[in-house]
Amino acid sequence: MRLFVLMLGLLLSLGAAAQQPIKIGFVAELSGPQGALGQDQYDAFMLVVDRNGGRLGGVPVQVLKEDSQLKPEVANQIVDKLIEKENVPIITGVTFSNIAMAIHKKVVEKEVFLISSNAGPSPIAGAQCSPFFFNTNNQNDQRAEVVGKYAADKGYKRVYAMAPNYQAGKDFVNGFKRYYKQPLLEEVYTPLNQLDFSAELAQLAAAKPDAVWVFYPGGLGIQFVRQWRQAGLADKIPLISSSTVDGITLPALQDAAVGVMDGSPWSPELEIPQSRRFVAEFEKRYKRVPSIYAAQAYDSALLLDSAIGKVKGRVGDKKAFQAALKAADFQSVRGNFKFNNNHFPIQDFYMFEVVKAADRYTYKTLAKTLPNTQDAYHPQCQMK
């Protein structure tokens, strides 16, 4: 009888252990001018978790939400807490590239899986790639590469480029130049927290470019595009952009954004079944149109749902879990999606134009400019 009781107790304890939730750290910008980006990431990620009854891959998960505040020192403190105190095996989110660069080495050296659903800095795509890092967005340069290709195809000869002065800004400019292949008329970098562009717009107008390309995400994009139109430039010079006019900024910009062109791997108007389902569910729950940041985070949740299910929740088997992630066995909102050797996606890129429909501001697809594209840095990654 005593043996039976002991065995029953052991079985119950094993069952309880099997049901312990997998802790997932969700680190993103959730406050300040860029807080909307991280909130869209989090909301989309939780859409999958909640739809699955608090589970991914059939296993309970506990999502630990943290605001990195666009401060690398804060992000490092958060990561220390998540790894040392909470013992998380997975960290996701990661909105800005300065945050990704600050935490990447620390996280992957601890053999914690880092699933970025936005930031894709070039060093991590290249020589600093890791089997513990995956990206469900794109390498930074690529959203600018598609616009550079479009600008070259349109025959623009005098392009004026502007971006914030940080890792992603430099990556984006390099990406644009890689496909534009002509000297830029001007290459201007502004402080990451600058919201007044009046001086730069005056200099730009005096230069008389035949097109302007910008990368200004989130609140930066709202301020730039508004000031661009207020300066009377919208009717004179084409504005082509990357990560500037999207689901985060468009509701605030409205008429100011009409006619602006943007390069991206996704828009809410794409006729892809998985995307249509995502957009409908997101709008129903949150009463707003999802942004690309939401779409990428939704895909990251689907990726984890698939991978955790493949290993039956045993994420501690790191080799098996890595292989399950690399398989990318899920239906992306972008349709075509697979991981390259550096764990960045191979996918299609489009050019869109903002238009005003009967009841909403939305996007018109201009072209699938770069189909089935891989990033420029994957040959520098030693993984196969």
Side-chain angles (χ1 to χ4, degrees):
M1 182 66 179
R2 183 179 178 186
L3 180 61
F4 173 78
V5 171
L6 286 172
M7 291 182 65
L8 180 61
L10 178 61
L11 288 171
L12 289 173
S13 66
L14 288 173
Q19 290 302 306
Q20 287 297 310
I22 297 171
K23 290 184 177 181
I24 299 174
F26 193 98
V27 181
E29 270 54 72
L30 297 165
S31 60
Q34 309 298 358
L37 281 65
Q39 191 62 51
D40 247 29
Q41 288 176 276
Y42 180 76
D43 288 346
F45 189 88
M46 294 307 297
L47 192 64
V48 177
V49 174
D50 292 344
R51 186 176 71 205
N52 292 353
R55 295 168 178 261
L56 290 176
V59 179
V61 294
Q62 180 184 358
V63 181
L64 305 176
K65 180 182 178 184
E66 297 282 356
D67 179 9
S68 45
Q69 302 175 34
L70 201 54
K71 297 176 181 177
E73 66 276 13
V74 172
N76 271 307
Q77 292 168 6
I78 289 169
V79 163
D80 287 341
K81 180 182 73 173
L82 289 172
I83 295 175
E84 304 300 336
K85 183 180 177 181
E86 300 292 349
N87 296 311
V88 300
I90 301 163
I91 293 175
T92 190
V94 194
T95 315
F96 274 73
S97 289
N98 59 335
I99 302 299
M101 291 301 297
I103 68 173
H104 172 263
K105 186 173 185 289
K106 176 182 296 186
V107 174
V108 299
E109 284 185 350
K110 294 285 188 178
E111 297 190 351
V112 171
F113 287 91
L114 182 58
I115 317 295
S116 171
S117 60
N118 192 56
S122 55
I124 297 175
Q128 296 179 33
C129 67
S130 166
F132 292 94
F133 180 89
F134 289 81
N135 177 285
T136 61
N137 169 23
N138 51 255
Q139 193 279 316
N140 289 339
D141 300 30
Q142 292 182 284
R143 292 231 206 133
E145 288 174 355
V146 62
V147 189
K149 177 69 162 57
Y150 181 78
D153 291 347
K154 293 288 288 184
Y156 295 137
K157 302 298 183 185
R158 293 167 52 83
V159 175
Y160 197 104
M162 294 181 63
N165 189 16
Y166 76 119
Q167 179 69 52
K170 295 171 184 177
D171 283 351
F172 271 67
V173 172
N174 286 334
F176 184 89
K177 291 191 291 187
R178 184 172 294 116
Y179 277 80
Y180 181 58
K181 296 182 179 179
Q182 298 186 55
L184 293 171
L185 177 62
E186 195 65 66
E187 186 174 321
V188 176
Y189 293 95
T190 55
L192 183 55
N193 60 354
Q194 179 177 320
L195 296 175
D196 182 356
F197 299 98
S198 54
E200 287 81 6
L201 287 170
Q203 294 169 3
L204 181 160
K208 297 182 179 179
D210 57 8
V212 172
W213 170 81
V214 298
F215 160 61
Y216 281 119
L220 297 173
I222 293 172
Q223 294 301 318
F224 181 86
V225 175
R226 280 177 176 168
Q227 292 168 42
W228 164 268
R229 187 164 288 275
Q230 290 166 0
L233 298 172
D235 297 324
K236 299 176 182 177
I237 307 169
L239 180 59
I240 51 179
S241 69
S242 304
S243 300
T244 300
V245 177
D246 54 31
I248 295 292
T249 61
L250 191 53
L253 288 168
Q254 298 189 2
D255 282 339
V258 171
V260 178
M261 291 164 279
D262 198 84
S264 175
W266 180 85
S267 93
E269 306 305 322
L270 285 180
E271 292 295 336
I272 296 171
Q274 182 73 3
S275 179
R276 303 309 296 171
R277 178 190 181 187
F278 160 60
V279 171
E281 289 186 0
F282 191 95
E283 287 188 355
K284 181 178 179 179
R285 177 165 179 176
Y286 299 114
K287 312 304 180 188
R288 66 181 190 273
V289 178
S291 69
I292 181 69
Y293 304 98
Q296 296 156 181
Y298 184 84
D299 271 357
S300 73
L302 294 178
L303 170 67
L304 285 169
D305 188 43
S306 166
I308 292 170
K310 279 180 179 288
V311 298
K312 297 179 171 57
R314 293 190 288 269
V315 297
D317 185 343
K318 296 178 181 182
K319 188 174 181 180
F321 188 48
Q322 178 198 332
L325 289 166
K326 179 71 181 290
D329 189 13
F330 71 99
Q331 292 184 318
S332 169
V333 298
R334 287 161 274 184
N336 180 27
F337 184 107
K338 63 181 179 180
F339 281 122
N340 208 339
N341 67 299
N342 59 353
H343 297 170
F344 279 70
I346 299 173
Q347 60 188 318
D348 301 328
F349 285 82
Y350 305 81
M351 281 298 298
F352 302 103
E353 180 180 355
V354 177
V355 295
K356 186 176 182 180
D359 59 344
R360 65 197 290 175
Y361 295 87
T362 187
Y363 304 90
K364 177 176 70 175
T365 302
L366 299 176
K368 184 190 288 187
T369 307
L370 291 175
N372 202 38
T373 301
Q374 53 191 335
D375 69 87
Y377 300 94
H378 79 93
Q380 300 173 24
C381 174
Q382 296 304 306
M383 297 190 302
K384 301 300 181 183

